[in-house]
Amino acid sequence: MILEDINKLLDITDSYQAPGRVMEILFGDKNRRNLVFKSFLDYFKCDVSYDWFHEYFEDEHADRKNNKQDFTPACLSKLVSTLLGSDTGVTYEPAAGTGGMVITNWYNQRSNIHPFDYKPNNHLIVCSEMSDKTIPFLLFNLSIRGISGIVFHGDTLKGKYKAVYVLTNEHNSPIVFSIVTKWN
């Protein structure tokens, strides 16, 4: 079961611990982070084409009543990405959640470029997310894929943010994890 497997990969006993643990992984020891990332890549057989946390987060953390959190079905994410095309440059998602639509679009863009020619820093992702529980999963999803960009944590409509996270692919390589830096 994916819930139990993800909890095991994160070395936690209950899913309520996941957001905090993910932040510890992202901002803690780089070698430990890399080991956790490699464990996730192994578990998901290096298939980075979709949001691994979709089902996990939706079942365990989504707050439909208070935050009106709902997940975009994968088929709709694929349709939107197809309609957008393989444009290069900046992708913006104002309510990113755990990253399902962003990941689908990123993957489609990346797949249309030869692996030796793909440079993450030329394809920036800019997104926003309001939920404190969701931000760690979004950052994890972007960082493990080597995505460069900016994540605003807060209310997009009001333009009020608790934090801004910058994701940097230091080697501009599709096979390198991104570093996450928090700006207050």
Side-chain angles (χ1 to χ4, degrees):
M1 182 174 180
I2 197 162
L3 168 66
E4 294 163 356
D5 292 341
I6 287 179
N7 285 350
K8 186 176 179 180
L9 289 168
L10 293 173
D11 193 28
I12 57 175
T13 56
D14 199 300
S15 64
Y16 79 87
Q17 300 167 308
R21 179 57 53 97
V22 169
M23 292 302 267
E24 287 173 16
I25 291 165
L26 291 173
F27 292 100
D29 179 64
K30 185 177 176 179
N31 292 326
R32 180 172 177 250
R33 181 206 65 174
N34 290 349
L35 288 173
V36 172
F37 278 5
K38 288 176 184 177
S39 295
F40 270 83
L41 287 166
D42 288 343
Y43 179 81
F44 288 101
K45 298 177 178 39
C46 294
D47 183 356
V48 293
S49 66
Y50 68 100
D51 172 12
W52 301 333
F53 294 111
H54 179 111
E55 180 183 328
Y56 178 85
F57 192 87
E58 188 172 43
D59 291 346
E60 295 296 314
H61 296 283
D63 186 354
R64 294 183 86 193
K65 183 179 178 187
N66 295 319
N67 291 336
K68 309 299 183 230
Q69 289 176 316
D70 222 340
F71 281 74
T72 306
C75 60
L76 187 55
S77 292
K78 289 178 185 174
L79 174 64
V80 171
S81 179
T82 301
L83 293 172
L84 290 173
S86 60
D87 188 30
T88 60
V90 178
T91 299
Y92 177 66
E93 170 63 67
T98 57
M101 286 192 64
V102 169
I103 291 166
T104 300
N105 193 57
W106 162 83
Y107 186 78
N108 287 342
Q109 286 182 2
R110 193 189 94 175
S111 296
N112 288 317
I113 299 171
H114 191 281
F116 295 134
D117 295 331
Y118 182 78
K119 303 294 181 199
N121 296 339
N122 295 342
H123 306 275
L124 299 177
I125 302 290
V126 177
C127 53
S128 300
E129 176 52 42
M130 190 172 191
S131 168
D132 295 344
K133 291 181 189 175
T134 310
I135 281 289
F137 297 99
L138 175 61
L139 294 172
F140 186 102
N141 268 330
L142 300 178
S143 180
I144 199 168
R145 289 166 174 80
I147 291 172
S148 293
I150 300 171
V151 175
F152 294 92
H153 179 192
D155 189 329
T156 301
L157 295 177
K158 294 180 181 176
K160 295 185 179 182
Y161 302 104
K162 298 176 183 181
V164 177
Y165 298 92
V166 177
L167 290 102
T168 308
N169 187 312
E170 294 179 319
H171 299 284
N172 203 17
S173 169
I175 60 169
V176 173
F177 303 131
S178 298
I179 303 297
V180 181
T181 307
K182 181 179 179 181
W183 288 8
N184 287 334

